[in-house]
């Protein structure tokens, strides 16, 4: 947009003038480092708190959420229904709408070429619009939400491409659209289709292609494959991984399917009742889950080929966030709970290479003694 | 490498269960054991739906072709396959919601046709369905008590004086205890898992011999699914129920069922003892399905390969108004030949107890 120059807002990234070398880099060659995870932090979320405010009171659907995402990394976020995954995604992309309100925290985002990170919380809509698609893109569960049903794919792609690069000719935009569609396994000919003419899986691929159109650094995905069959899911995700190798974008991938994340993600964050209760590498979380909820969740997925054992899931059901349990929100269901669990709020802290929010692990100075005296009757309820 | 579960242990009884009551293995999987006759059976059923398009045109959805399936006492049969493969259609045929285009449904060997009134009630006192959405089988305006009482009364399963007692017993059977905490609740006051238990209790109220579960856990929170699967397993064991378990989730099917049957685009393609299907799938589609299912052990065991590495695009299932001739999987099958395009292969029985419909396995090869 012409207005990009000159009026640099105080918090905006400082690269408004120069074109980052890899923007629109999809057409270009493979970046030298095939797999682009570097130590560099792309996204740094600190203490993010989101509430749904109403007259009856407020529901804190994201509570003091902190994590980082490095360039090129896939961070999986797993949690059950109502744990706050979608709330987190809409807050990250600043697509949140009332009654949702971000009441605390910051989202520091540092796209390629930016001199320093910018806090997305409090950024003006106008400035956010510049970041969307070009630096950060979103893919939702229902591709229909992202695609305009009355526009052919090509028109939608061209719109997005040209909005972020007004120098692009129609013809180039068309060529790029064809290229993008091929990238996700569609044919260039499908550019002439309306979304409703495509199957669910094909639509979802088109949405991913659209998300990648402007070469973003971060793609945020909310249950992108929940509505498609496993075979299609695997094809889409295999494709996503290949593209990630090539284009080095980072992904925040939200799902209730932990078993899928274990295969897909580099690191996994487990959410329960609006809080992150554990973060670690996929292998660590799978082999040594530290939080009792993670353990229970892991044991809720029967193995595909390994020997079958009786599994039991997790007793009880997730809490009602309008009236969350005091202390650790998991305590009413926790098989390992002990005295302080119903009054002391565990915070996320390092345990080995993982981060865990559980009093068993991160009791803090005053709780050191409590670990030993677990009340057995706690299990009786 | 994958054969840890072999050695004659009946994995479906989950032997490592710490609190398991030891029971004799009741269902030997040897193919030559004489099985007891099925309670409910689909014999070569085909279901074509006529749908009205625009401009008065009609078309035919060929939803199910020549499907056969047998449900036996005390056994769970899982039916897996992707969306639109015909699983619900088969369950609804069992529930007499449609009249098959050809073939028949048999209850204890007797063909059952369309039924009304008393005859229908008699059938449903033996065959019950549990749906994906528990609200579908519960009246959401009424309490658990009302819902259960109605089911008990309609089928004459309880008189005035023992009805309350029977309702508590039902809630007990589905582990909604203490039962007095649940009996007065409205469906929406319960968690999803509890609601599905009430739906199961309602199905059990009539004392059925067969329960048809159409994705009964897919709407539940992940952590609550196992509980329902364990409940179904217990009902199978304690009440000798015959269960049809429909699902997309092949790992869950393996956990629960003694037999897995795989459908693709309206055709039954493979079936047999669970472990054979999982460890030794024969049909190219079964292999594709298993290869695509999440399996953390595959990636995370040392030396395990990334499952995403070798995934090729293999297209999508066909439109059933104009399905490919012959084996409907042929447009996606790497082994397809002319025979595959010409005719659907006959059923081939394999020595493992599996059967498969695929030209790669010449019929009669092992019979
Ligand atoms: N518009 C809203 N108004 C009030 N509360 C809301 C609203 N949207 C969500 N919530 C509440 O916020 C909590 C988190 O919801 P969210 O949609 O983020 O969960 P989720 O993890 O995405 O769940 P799912 O797996 O079902 O998609 C829930 O308790 C929900 O009831
Ligand atoms: N009453 C009906 N009228 C017309 N077509 C139908 C009807 N019921 C099912 N179909 C079609 O028959 C095919 C099989 O559908 P069915 O619901 O049995 O599949 P399914 O395996 O249960 O799928 P899912 O996993 O999505 O539940 C589909 O193409 C569906 O659109
Ligand atoms: S803090 Fe206590 S209740 Fe919470 S997960 Fe840890 S042990 Fe369980
Ligand atoms: S019959 Fe032919 S097309 Fe069908 S699965 Fe077998 S080899 Fe493939
Ligand atoms: Mg959500
Ligand atoms: Mg169905």
């Amino acid at each position: 947009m012409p207005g990009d120059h000159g009026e640099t807002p105080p918090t905006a990234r400082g690269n408004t003038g120069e074109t980052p070398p890899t923007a629109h880099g999809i057409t270009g060659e493979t970046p030298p480092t095939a797999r682009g995870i570097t130590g560099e932090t792309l996204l740094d979320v600190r203490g993010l708190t989101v509430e749904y405010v109403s007259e009856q009171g407020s529901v804190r659907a994201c509570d003091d959420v902190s994590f980082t995402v490095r360039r090129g990394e896939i961070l999986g976020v797993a949690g059950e229904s109502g744990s706050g995954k979608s709330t987190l995604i809409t807050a990250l992309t600043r697509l949140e709408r009332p009654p949702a309100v971000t009441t605390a925290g910051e989202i520091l985002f540092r796209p390629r070429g930016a001199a320093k990170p910018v806090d997305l919380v409090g950024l003006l809509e106008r400035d956010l619009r510049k970041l969307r698609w070009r630096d950060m893109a979103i893919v939702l569960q229902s591709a229909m939400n992202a695609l305009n049903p009355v526009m052919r794919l090509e028109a939608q792609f061209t719109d997005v491409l040209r909005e972020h690069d007004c120098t692009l000719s129609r013809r180039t935009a068309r060529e790029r659209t064809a290229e993008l569609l091929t990238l996700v396994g569609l044919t260039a000919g499908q550019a002439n289709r309306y979304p409703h003419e495509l199957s669910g899986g094909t639509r979802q691929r088109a949405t991913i292609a659209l998300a990648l159109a402007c070469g973003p650094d971060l793609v945020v995905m909310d249950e992108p494959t929940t509505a498609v069959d496993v075979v299609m899911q695997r094809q889409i995700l295999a494709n996503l991984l290949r593209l990630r190798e090539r284009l080095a974008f980072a992904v925040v991938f939200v799902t209730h399917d932990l078993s899928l994340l274990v295969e897909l993600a580099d690191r996994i964050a487990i959410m329960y009742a609006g809080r992150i209760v554990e973060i670690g590498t996929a292998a660590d979380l799978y082999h040594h889950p530290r939080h009792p909820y993670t353990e229970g969740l892991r044991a809720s997925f029967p193995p595909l080929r390994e020997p079958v054992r009786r599994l039991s899931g997790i007793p009880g059901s997730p809490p009602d966030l309008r009236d969350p349990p005091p202390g650790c929100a998991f305590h009413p269901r926790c098989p390992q709970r002990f005295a302080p669990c119903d009054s002391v709020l565990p915070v996320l802290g390092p345990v080995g290479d993982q981060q865990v929010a559980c009093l068993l692990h991160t009791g803090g100075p005053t709780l050191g003694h409590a670990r030993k005296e677990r009340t057995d009757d706690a299990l009786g309820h | 490498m994958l054969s840890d579960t072999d050695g004659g242990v009946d994995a479906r009884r989950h032997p490592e269960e710490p609190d398991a009551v030891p029971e004799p293995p009741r269902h030997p999987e040897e193919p030559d054991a004489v099985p007891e006759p099925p309670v409910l059976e689909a014999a070569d059923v085909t279901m074509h739906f006529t749908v009205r398009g625009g401009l008065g045109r009609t078309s035919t959805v060929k939803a199910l072709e020549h499907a056969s399936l047998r449900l036996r006492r005390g056994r769970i049969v899982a039916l897996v396959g992707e969306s639109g493969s015909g699983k619900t259609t088969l369950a609804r045929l069992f529930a007499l919601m449609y009249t098959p285009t050809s073939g028949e449904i048999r209850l204890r060997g007797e063909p059952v046709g369309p039924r009304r009134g008393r005859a229908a009630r008699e059938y449903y006192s033996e065959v019950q369905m549990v749906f994906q959405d528990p609200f579908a089988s519960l009246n959401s305006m009424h309490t658990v008590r009302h819902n259960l009482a109605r089911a008990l009364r309609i089928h004459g399963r309880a008189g005035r004086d023992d009805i309350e007692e029977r309702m508590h017993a039902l809630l007990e059977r589905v582990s909604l205890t203490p039962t007095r905490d649940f009996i007065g609740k409205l469906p929406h006051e319960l968690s999803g898992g509890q609601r599905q238990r009430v739906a199961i209790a309602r199905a059990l109220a009539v004392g059925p011999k067969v329960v048809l579960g159409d994705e009964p856990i897919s709407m539940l929170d992940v952590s609550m699914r196992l509980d329902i699967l364990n409940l179904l397993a217990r009902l199978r064991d304690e009440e000798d129920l015959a269960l049809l378990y429909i699902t997309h989730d092949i790992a869950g099917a393996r956990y629960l069922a003694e037999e897995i049957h795989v459908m693709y685009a309206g055709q039954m393609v493979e079936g047999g003892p669970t472990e054979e299907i999982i460890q030794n799938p024969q049909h190219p589609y079964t292999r594709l399905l298993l290869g695509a299912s999440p399996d953390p052990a595959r990636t995370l065991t040392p030396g395990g390969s990334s499952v995403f590495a070798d995934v090729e695009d293999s297209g999508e299932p066909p439109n059933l108004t104009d399905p490919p001739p012959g084996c409907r999987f042929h447009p996606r099958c790497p082994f397809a030949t002319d025979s595959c395009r010409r005719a659907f292969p006959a059923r081939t029985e394999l020595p493992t107890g599996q059967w498969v419909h695929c030209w790669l396995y010449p019929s009669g090869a092992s019979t």
Side-chain angles (χ1 to χ4, degrees):
Chain A
M1 299 245 133
D4 262 23
H5 301 267
E7 28 142 319
T8 314
T11 41
R13 28 180 293 202
N15 72 328
T16 39
E18 88 229 26
T19 318
T22 34
H24 308 302
I26 291 170
T27 49
E29 335 70 299
T30 315
T33 51
R35 190 169 150 127
I37 308 180
T38 64
E40 201 184 327
T41 302
L42 173 66
L43 185 70
D44 184 0
V45 178
R46 297 182 184 168
L48 184 68
T49 302
V50 183
E51 300 183 34
Y52 291 95
V53 183
S54 79
E55 279 166 21
Q56 289 84 46
S58 71
V59 171
R60 201 173 278 185
C62 275
D63 197 352
D64 197 14
V65 168
S66 301
F67 61 86
T68 58
V69 180
R70 288 170 297 160
R71 286 191 182 285
E73 180 180 44
I74 298 187
L75 175 75
V77 179
E80 295 182 73
S81 184
S83 58
K85 305 183 297 295
S86 297
T87 307
L88 174 63
I89 290 293
T90 42
L92 281 185
T93 49
R94 305 316 295 152
L95 291 167
E96 91 187 2
R97 296 289 171 264
V101 181
T102 298
T103 52
E106 40 193 11
I107 303 168
L108 304 174
F109 181 51
R110 189 175 171 200
R112 246 172 297 202
K116 56 181 173 36
V118 42
D119 185 358
L120 301 183
V121 177
L123 204 61
L124 294 174
E125 183 58 32
R126 187 190 57 199
D127 300 315
L128 281 168
R129 222 175 295 139
K130 287 174 207 154
L131 295 176
R132 284 199 194 112
W133 300 107
R134 189 182 61 191
D135 298 318
M136 171 194 273
I138 184 165
V139 178
L140 299 171
Q141 172 171 359
S142 164
M144 272 315 203
N145 293 343
L147 298 174
N148 184 336
V150 298
M151 271 169 89
R152 294 180 198 276
L153 289 184
E154 183 169 278
Q156 307 197 34
F157 276 71
T158 313
D159 273 8
V160 167
L161 287 165
R162 290 181 30 128
E163 187 181 331
H164 290 275
D165 182 357
C166 52
T167 64
L168 215 60
S169 72
R170 287 208 165 270
R171 210 181 123 195
T172 323
R174 243 197 323 270
E175 282 165 13
R176 195 151 288 159
T177 302
E179 224 169 313
L180 284 161
L181 290 177
T182 334
L183 214 55
V184 295
L186 304 190
T187 60
Q190 279 167 310
N192 290 318
R193 299 299 197 88
Y194 290 98
H196 69 87
E197 296 174 324
L198 305 169
S199 75
T202 309
R203 271 203 299 267
Q204 201 55 285
R205 284 168 185 244
T207 322
I208 292 173
L210 189 60
L212 299 178
C214 302
D217 292 316
L218 178 65
V219 183
V220 171
M221 303 185 144
D222 191 358
E223 311 248 16
T225 56
T226 308
V228 302
D229 281 312
V230 284
V231 174
M232 177 58 74
Q233 165 172 285
R234 187 138 304 237
Q235 289 167 16
I236 290 176
L237 297 181
N239 190 248
L240 181 75
L241 285 186
R242 284 195 288 264
L243 292 174
R244 193 266 302 247
E245 301 269 308
R246 214 172 120 187
L247 307 171
F249 52 83
V251 181
V252 175
F253 190 105
V254 158
T255 176
H256 63 273
D257 190 348
L258 179 62
S259 68
L260 181 69
L261 278 190
V262 169
E263 289 185 80
L264 179 74
D266 300 307
R267 281 188 312 136
I268 297 177
I270 306 286
M271 266 186 108
Y272 190 76
R275 292 181 153 264
I276 290 182
V277 297
E278 182 162 7
I279 305 188
T281 63
D284 279 344
L285 241 69
Y286 184 75
H287 292 302
H288 331 279
R290 308 254 189 190
H291 195 282
Y293 176 67
T294 314
E295 250 172 80
L297 201 56
R298 226 208 81 177
S300 299
F301 293 91
L304 183 61
R305 294 186 179 81
E306 306 259 281
V308 183
R309 280 181 310 116
R310 183 187 152 97
L311 302 170
S312 56
I314 304 174
S317 45
D320 181 350
L321 291 186
R322 283 168 302 184
D323 182 21
C328 171
F330 187 56
H331 86 257
R333 304 174 78 186
C334 181
Q336 297 183 54
R337 72 160 175 263
F338 57 114
C341 295
D342 61 3
S343 55
V344 180
L345 178 69
V347 289
L348 204 60
V351 179
D353 292 335
Q354 279 136 278
Q355 284 193 294
V356 185
C358 169
L359 299 175
L360 288 173
H361 300 286
T362 53
T366 55
L367 290 166
H369 66 285
R371 293 182 58 160
K372 292 186 192 72
E373 37 179 0
R374 283 197 226 168
T375 47
D376 284 327
D377 66 349
L379 303 175
H381 296 265
Chain B
M1 168 182 84
L2 290 170
S3 57
D4 314 29
T5 48
D6 287 353
V9 183
D10 184 346
R12 303 287 77 67
R13 299 292 156 190
H14 306 313
E16 285 148 70
E17 171 188 355
D19 54 351
V21 190
E23 339 170 27
R26 287 183 303 160
H27 303 292
E29 303 280 16
E30 303 89 68
D32 53 353
V34 182
E36 66 172 282
V39 197
L40 192 63
E41 174 177 12
D44 204 28
V45 291
T46 292
M47 187 72 223
H48 291 177
F49 295 105
T50 306
V51 291
R52 229 158 291 181
L55 306 169
R57 252 173 275 167
T58 61
S59 58
T60 306
V61 181
K62 299 177 178 109
L64 192 65
E65 300 289 338
H66 302 287
S68 295
L69 191 138
R70 295 168 163 183
L71 301 173
R72 294 190 164 86
R73 274 195 313 130
R75 287 178 72 89
I76 301 180
V77 174
L79 193 56
V80 304
E82 50 200 302
S83 192
S85 57
K87 305 181 296 296
T88 297
T89 301
L90 183 55
R92 289 190 172 159
L93 283 161
F94 275 129
L96 306 187
M97 289 160 79
Y98 308 130
T99 308
T101 308
S102 69
E104 59 190 24
I105 302 296
R106 296 178 193 144
L107 181 64
R108 281 192 218 84
E110 293 295 314
V112 280
R115 296 180 168 209
R116 283 156 189 270
R118 197 195 155 110
R121 268 206 303 282
E122 250 166 48
Y123 185 79
Y124 295 126
S125 73
E126 305 218 59
V127 180
Q128 281 283 314
M129 230 172 141
V130 173
F131 302 93
Q132 185 173 16
D133 179 0
F135 282 115
S137 47
L138 298 177
N139 184 332
S140 53
M141 306 291 290
H142 291 287
T143 59
V144 171
R145 174 183 276 113
H146 179 101
N147 274 287
L148 295 181
R150 199 177 137 75
L152 283 166
R153 272 200 216 100
I154 286 182
H155 291 273
R157 301 277 303 177
R160 201 176 277 273
D161 25 309
D162 63 345
I163 192 158
E164 189 73 15
E165 193 185 317
R166 278 178 179 268
M167 287 190 290
H168 284 282
L170 278 171
L171 291 176
E172 195 104 24
R173 270 158 79 194
V174 296
S175 309
L176 285 176
T177 49
T179 55
R180 61 177 182 283
D181 289 357
F182 293 96
I183 198 156
K185 290 251 162 72
L186 289 165
H188 71 81
E189 294 173 320
L190 301 170
S191 76
Q194 292 166 345
R195 212 149 42 222
Q196 194 59 287
R197 281 169 195 277
V198 175
I200 293 169
R202 199 209 58 97
L204 295 177
V206 309
K209 302 288 183 293
V210 180
V211 171
L212 310 166
D214 192 356
E215 306 202 36
I217 60 166
S218 62
M219 280 177 63
L220 301 181
D221 271 335
V222 169
S223 70
M224 291 188 271
R225 293 180 180 177
L226 258 298
D227 268 357
I228 299 289
L229 292 189
N230 289 334
L231 169 64
L232 294 176
R234 206 186 77 213
L235 294 171
R236 164 198 64 196
D237 296 345
E238 291 177 0
E239 319 209 354
D240 231 13
L241 278 178
L243 259 156
L244 177 66
Y245 176 64
I246 291 180
T247 182
H248 280 126
D249 168 25
I250 199 158
R254 176 193 182 213
Y255 179 76
L256 186 63
E258 284 82 14
E259 258 174 59
I260 296 182
H261 294 231
V262 185
M263 297 191 66
Y264 181 78
Q267 295 173 330
M268 312 268 312
V269 298
E270 180 168 7
T274 296
E275 281 316 290
E276 294 297 339
I277 301 292
I278 296 288
Q279 312 291 2
N280 193 21
Q282 299 297 318
H283 194 281
Y285 173 69
T286 314
R287 291 192 198 153
L288 179 68
L289 189 63
L290 272 160
S293 297
D295 180 9
R298 183 166 40 186
T299 337
L300 294 183
T301 31
S305 62
S306 167
V307 280
F308 291 103
D310 53 355
V311 174
E312 300 282 333
D313 274 12
S314 62
E316 294 183 50
N319 175 353
L320 296 185
T321 45
D322 183 22
C327 170
R328 288 181 181 175
F329 189 57
H330 81 244
R332 301 171 73 182
C333 182
F335 311 106
T337 62
D338 282 343
S339 335
C340 308
R341 289 180 266 270
R342 259 196 303 273
F344 186 63
R347 174 166 160 147
T348 304
E349 307 276 348
L350 302 175
T352 52
Q354 270 153 294
W355 51 263
V356 59
H357 284 280
C358 173
W359 284 114
L360 295 175
Y361 303 87
S363 51
S366 60
T367 45

